[in-house]
Amino acid sequence: MNASLEAGQSGRVPLEFSDHHGALSILGFWLFLASDVVLFSCLFAVYASYGMRTAGGPTPMQLFHYGPALAETLLLLCSSFACGLCVYQLRRRSTNGTTAWLAVTMLLGLGFVAMEAHEFASYVASGATWHKSAFLSAFFTLVGTHGLHVSFGLLWAASLLVQLRRHGLNAVSARKLYVFSLYWHFLDIIWVFIFSAVYLVGRIS
Amino acid sequence: MSQQIVTHASAAVEPAAHASGMEHADPVEIAALMPHFEAVGFPAKQVFGFVGSVALTLLALWVVSQHRLPAPLLLPAVLVSAAVQALVQLGSFMHLREARGETWQIPVLALAFVIAAGIVGFSFWIMTFKSGVS
């Protein structure tokens, strides 16, 4: 452990890459992200095909508003930025800094999930359930799948927070944090496409 | 060529390898997939990614909400701005070029993006044929 800590401090190979198996796990996680790109592309394809089939129900223009969509976007973007700073603190070997920015990441992510849950609840309350039309089925499936990913990420981050408090920074906890940061940044990139292709495009025609 | 790169890579990794007592440095055979670990200075990349993403988000929102482009150009403009922002975040937030050995995640991700673009693009294309279904 001490030997690999020194390796990271010399500035060449960071802590999370110090173990060869750990480095392989990180590559494995990239492969998972690539498969998730394909999963989301299928849901985007469904939305692109059925987004205009409103079956007499509410249209995207009636349902979506700029304010909440922009707020959710900024919350998740700030969360992603905080997660980037968390890994930056990890590289500086600051346990407190890493913990603090991970907590900020989680709070902003929680705000995002809360806003989205509120948005979904208000749609359902106004009668726009996912049974209503092909558009709403595709919408709830695409945005809901992303929301579930974020919710799962919050549970994951909470477990990392506990492990950080218990074991501090070592090759294993550093690798787990790094992999979580890849997941979190990836979810924000998916959200950029949801914000553009669903909320902005919904306001065009 | 390849031999030269291997030597270069070993030279770069060697101090760390010595410090950690590792026997072998990471071999790199494909120059384009050479890894690069980010420096621990001011997190300039993260700040650039954040500011750039906020700017692109607001720009896309402004163009759509104020109808700053002719209607047929709005959809392509929004999609292009999303793709640019995705690349900005991929390049600045995600440590794309960090790995032991080759950075295999780059060709794998590129393949995933090709498949994704194919699925979305061709689905959209085939649904424009309105003769059979509507």
Side-chain angles (χ1 to χ4, degrees):
Chain A
M1 181 52 59
N2 275 337
S4 60
L5 272 174
E6 281 165 22
Q9 269 155 1
S10 76
R12 291 295 181 186
V13 178
L15 189 52
E16 57 273 23
F17 284 93
S18 56
D19 173 51
H20 274 278
H21 276 278
L24 212 53
S25 303
I26 291 171
L27 176 60
F29 197 79
W30 276 108
L31 301 189
F32 161 73
L33 289 185
S35 77
D36 235 22
V37 167
V38 176
L39 165 76
F40 275 105
S41 78
C42 295
L43 299 179
F44 275 108
V46 170
Y47 188 82
S49 302
Y50 292 118
M52 299 299 150
R53 313 288 166 98
T54 51
T59 64
M61 185 73 99
Q62 293 165 334
L63 216 52
F64 301 148
H65 299 285
Y66 291 122
L70 182 66
E72 285 168 30
T73 304
L74 291 180
L75 273 173
L76 201 60
L77 179 61
C78 290
S79 183
S80 187
F81 180 51
C83 191
L85 294 181
C86 175
V87 171
Y88 168 73
Q89 294 291 345
L90 169 68
R91 290 278 160 92
R92 292 183 62 215
R93 296 300 164 80
S94 161
T95 312
N96 288 335
T98 308
T99 311
W101 282 112
L102 185 61
V104 173
T105 304
M106 285 178 62
L107 275 178
L108 291 166
L110 202 61
F112 170 84
V113 171
M115 273 209 75
E116 190 170 278
H118 177 262
E119 182 195 333
F120 280 14
S122 71
Y123 292 163
V124 170
S126 73
T129 64
W130 77 343
H131 307 100
K132 193 83 183 174
S133 64
F135 151 61
L136 283 166
S137 301
F139 167 79
F140 279 114
T141 310
L142 171 61
V143 184
T145 303
H146 177 270
L148 282 178
H149 272 75
V150 177
S151 307
F152 172 77
L154 286 176
L155 294 178
W156 187 0
S159 84
L160 290 179
L161 213 51
V162 172
Q163 291 177 48
L164 260 182
R165 290 330 282 173
R166 258 190 214 163
H167 308 294
L169 290 180
N170 56 42
V172 175
S173 62
R175 189 247 302 157
K176 288 181 175 176
L177 268 168
Y178 186 83
V179 163
F180 168 75
S181 82
L182 293 182
Y183 181 75
W184 206 249
H185 295 317
F186 166 76
L187 286 183
D188 192 42
I189 292 179
I190 296 292
W191 180 262
V192 169
F193 284 103
I194 292 181
F195 174 70
S196 307
V198 176
Y199 291 96
L200 288 187
V201 171
R203 299 288 306 186
I204 286 178
S205 46
Chain B
M1 177 67 178
S2 136
Q3 191 56 44
Q4 214 177 352
I5 291 154
V6 170
T7 326
H8 179 58
S10 344
V13 177
E14 218 155 63
H18 274 306
S20 66
M22 281 184 289
E23 302 267 319
H24 307 287
D26 297 325
V28 174
E29 291 181 354
I30 304 172
L33 301 184
M34 178 91 167
H36 170 75
F37 291 108
E38 279 171 30
V40 194
F42 177 76
K45 272 181 103 169
Q46 269 75 12
V47 172
F48 167 78
F50 179 68
V51 174
S53 297
V54 170
L56 280 167
T57 300
L58 295 180
L59 179 73
L61 187 79
W62 176 74
V63 165
V64 172
S65 63
Q66 307 296 314
H67 294 279
R68 287 288 154 175
L69 282 175
L73 284 180
L74 278 174
L75 178 68
V78 164
L79 294 183
V80 165
S81 129
V84 170
Q85 189 179 158
L87 287 177
V88 165
Q89 292 199 18
L90 197 62
S92 61
F93 286 163
M94 299 181 87
H95 301 236
L96 194 59
R97 289 190 55 208
E98 293 187 344
R100 295 295 293 265
E102 278 97 342
T103 49
W104 284 117
Q105 62 265 31
I106 294 174
V108 168
L109 267 187
L111 176 63
F113 285 135
V114 170
I115 295 173
I119 291 174
V120 176
F122 284 116
S123 300
F124 194 73
W125 173 69
I126 204 132
M127 289 303 280
T128 60
F129 290 76
K130 298 221 167 151
S131 54
V133 286
S134 65

